[in-house]
Amino acid sequence: MISNQILQSTIDGLKVISRIDLSVMDLEGNVLAATYPEADEHHASVLSFVDSPADSQVVQGYQFFKIFDDSQLEYILVAKGSSDDVYMVGKMAAFQVQTLLVAYKERFDKDNFIKNLLLDNLLLVDIYNRAKKLHIDTEARRVVFLLETDHEKDNSSLESVRTILGSKNGDFITAVDEKSIIVVKEVNEQEDYADMEHIARQILEALEPDKREHAHVAYGTIVEEIKEVSRSYKEARMALDVGKIFFSERDIIAYSSLGIGRLIYQLPIPLCKMFIREIFDGKSPDDFDEETLTTINKFFENSLNVSETSRQLYIHRNTLVYRLDKLQKSTGLDLRVFEDAITFKIALMVVKYMKYMENLEY
């Protein structure tokens, strides 16, 4: 459960303090970490010690100690030397590794609980019972952030985010699939969505520059109870997907900013196709030329203001009016009329959504 790197770091630190060489072996006699080169010579002695009833013993100038996890033997620690001082350091080292085992086991249990909580794999009564056993506050304010990179099994990014945000006890950083990193962040009463935007930016900046370019962060709404955390996660997941369709230029997207895109995303494709047929009479916005599409988008950007749109397009006002009249003849929609403009805008978004879903299928 504990990585070999952590074991090595632990016994290296103990050697610096005590000046006594140490090694940690698995139950098959393999060296997991050591401060001296001849540790692999203990293979036979470790196997013999594992089968013995003793918890510690001296063998050929080395002291052997058993390390348990809930009465289950996990590791053998070896200290070089047979004096009382070596015995004391060996016992302290064994206790340190055993404490690490407990801490990592608790972290694993919490990580497993959070994953099941996010995926709605727990009954309501189990949520509160398990949270109590794991000493997790059930009434803290929380929000879920979802980081997606284009690198599969991106453990380095996971550790980078943990380094930046993992110092607070109430925060949980985990992953439920190959490309996504999930941050369940505990927030205080004073923090609002402006603070959430800042945290999202911190998450992005925790990544290495080459991974940051294609990464996206989405986050859900702030929830008040632990049972609602899965809702914030689903919102973050939806925000990530909807953001790719309608806000591809953004690297951070909040569920609360999705607007009408959130509704369109939940429409069935057959209904979308029927709507487009009714609006465009069998045509598609894809059939419009680049000039027309540019004019439409700029007109929407400027809140249907003819003068400002013509100025930004560097064309005469009458030229813009001519283009809008031409569009009205082909579609029956006058973009200068608010209701028609809304219909057209929704139709463009629906087409964008359908194209995204079609590409997703392939």
Side-chain angles (χ1 to χ4, degrees):
M1 191 180 293
I2 305 174
S3 70
N4 290 358
Q5 185 178 358
I6 295 295
L7 289 172
Q8 187 65 55
S9 175
T10 300
I11 63 172
D12 282 343
L14 288 167
K15 182 186 176 179
V16 169
I17 296 168
S18 66
R19 299 183 182 179
I20 291 172
D21 281 307
L22 302 161
S23 64
V24 180
M25 327 279 286
D26 66 16
L27 305 188
E28 295 177 350
N30 301 311
V31 180
L32 303 178
T35 63
Y36 55 99
E38 65 271 21
D40 55 359
E41 297 175 5
H42 301 314
H43 184 270
S45 300
V46 167
L47 294 180
S48 176
F49 179 55
V50 166
D51 292 332
S52 75
D55 288 341
S56 65
Q57 68 180 40
V58 178
V59 179
Q60 296 177 343
Y62 292 87
Q63 307 219 25
F64 288 66
F65 303 87
K66 289 179 178 176
I67 299 173
F68 295 89
D69 177 24
D70 283 343
S71 303
Q72 178 74 34
L73 184 59
E74 288 288 339
Y75 299 120
I76 303 299
L77 183 130
V78 182
K80 189 175 183 180
S82 55
S83 68
D84 290 342
D85 288 344
V86 173
Y87 175 81
M88 182 180 68
V89 170
K91 287 290 284 185
M92 290 174 64
F95 177 76
Q96 178 68 22
V97 174
Q98 192 160 327
T99 303
L100 281 174
L101 266 175
V102 173
Y104 270 73
K105 186 178 179 181
E106 182 173 312
R107 175 173 161 179
F108 174 79
D109 286 345
K110 285 185 177 180
D111 190 66
N112 195 40
F113 168 71
I114 292 297
K115 285 180 181 177
N116 283 308
L117 178 67
L118 294 171
L119 298 174
D120 272 337
N121 289 339
L122 297 169
L123 297 173
L124 187 60
V125 65
D126 291 335
I127 291 174
Y128 286 94
N129 286 341
R130 291 187 63 182
K132 186 177 180 180
K133 287 179 181 177
L134 294 169
H135 308 291
I136 297 173
D137 189 352
T138 58
E139 295 184 357
R141 296 175 81 232
R142 293 183 174 92
V143 62
V144 176
F145 293 84
L146 186 59
L147 166 66
E148 185 176 86
T149 68
D150 60 354
H151 294 73
E152 293 191 3
K153 296 183 179 178
D154 196 357
N155 291 326
S156 63
S157 294
L158 182 64
E159 290 306 316
S160 297
V161 174
R162 276 192 175 134
T163 301
I164 297 295
L165 298 177
S167 58
K168 193 174 177 182
N169 270 343
D171 297 342
F172 302 98
I173 300 163
T174 187
V176 295
D177 58 37
E178 298 291 340
K179 290 187 176 182
S180 301
I181 295 168
I182 299 164
V183 179
V184 182
K185 189 89 177 73
E186 188 174 307
V187 297
N188 60 44
E189 293 294 334
Q190 288 72 43
E191 290 179 301
D192 56 18
Y193 286 102
D195 297 299
M196 299 308 103
E197 195 75 12
H198 176 67
I199 293 168
R201 181 59 58 189
Q202 277 186 302
I203 293 171
L204 267 183
E205 290 176 354
L207 303 179
E208 296 168 13
D210 61 318
K211 294 179 181 178
R212 202 180 302 158
E213 187 178 351
H214 301 291
H216 296 86
V217 176
Y219 59 94
T221 54
I222 297 172
V223 297
E224 304 291 335
E225 288 189 64
I226 197 165
K227 67 179 181 181
E228 297 176 324
V229 167
S230 64
R231 173 166 64 81
S232 187
Y233 168 66
K234 289 170 186 171
E235 291 169 348
R237 176 64 69 184
M238 180 185 285
L240 194 65
D241 291 338
V242 174
K244 289 176 187 175
I245 304 170
F246 303 118
F247 310 101
S248 56
E249 73 284 356
R250 299 189 200 173
D251 53 6
I252 295 174
I253 184 76
Y255 176 79
S256 58
S257 69
L258 296 180
I260 199 169
R262 190 170 75 204
L263 298 176
I264 293 171
Y265 180 74
Q266 297 179 78
L267 293 174
I269 294 297
L271 187 62
C272 292
K273 290 180 178 177
M274 185 174 70
F275 174 71
I276 295 301
R277 278 197 304 269
E278 290 173 357
I279 298 300
F280 294 108
D281 193 24
K283 297 178 184 177
S284 167
D286 291 342
D287 298 334
F288 298 134
D289 57 61
E290 191 64 35
E291 183 184 77
T292 303
L293 285 172
T294 302
T295 301
I296 293 166
N297 289 327
K298 189 61 70 175
F299 193 53
F300 285 140
E301 282 176 25
N302 289 290
S303 303
L304 314 185
N305 186 308
V306 174
S307 299
E308 184 60 24
T309 303
S310 58
R311 188 187 70 79
Q312 290 190 19
L313 288 173
Y314 304 102
I315 60 175
H316 194 276
R317 191 177 192 280
N318 290 343
T319 304
L320 176 60
V321 171
Y322 169 76
R323 290 181 186 177
L324 294 174
D325 287 340
K326 184 180 175 184
L327 187 65
Q328 183 183 1
K329 286 179 183 178
S330 66
T331 64
L333 297 170
D334 185 354
L335 298 194
R336 290 158 292 192
V337 177
F338 183 70
E339 189 174 333
D340 285 358
I342 288 178
T343 303
F344 202 97
K345 178 66 174 177
I346 291 173
L348 288 176
M349 293 179 74
V350 167
V351 169
K352 210 170 187 180
Y353 165 62
M354 289 194 301
K355 288 175 70 175
Y356 175 81
M357 295 306 291
E358 285 172 8
N359 291 335
L360 205 62
E361 290 174 6
Y362 295 109

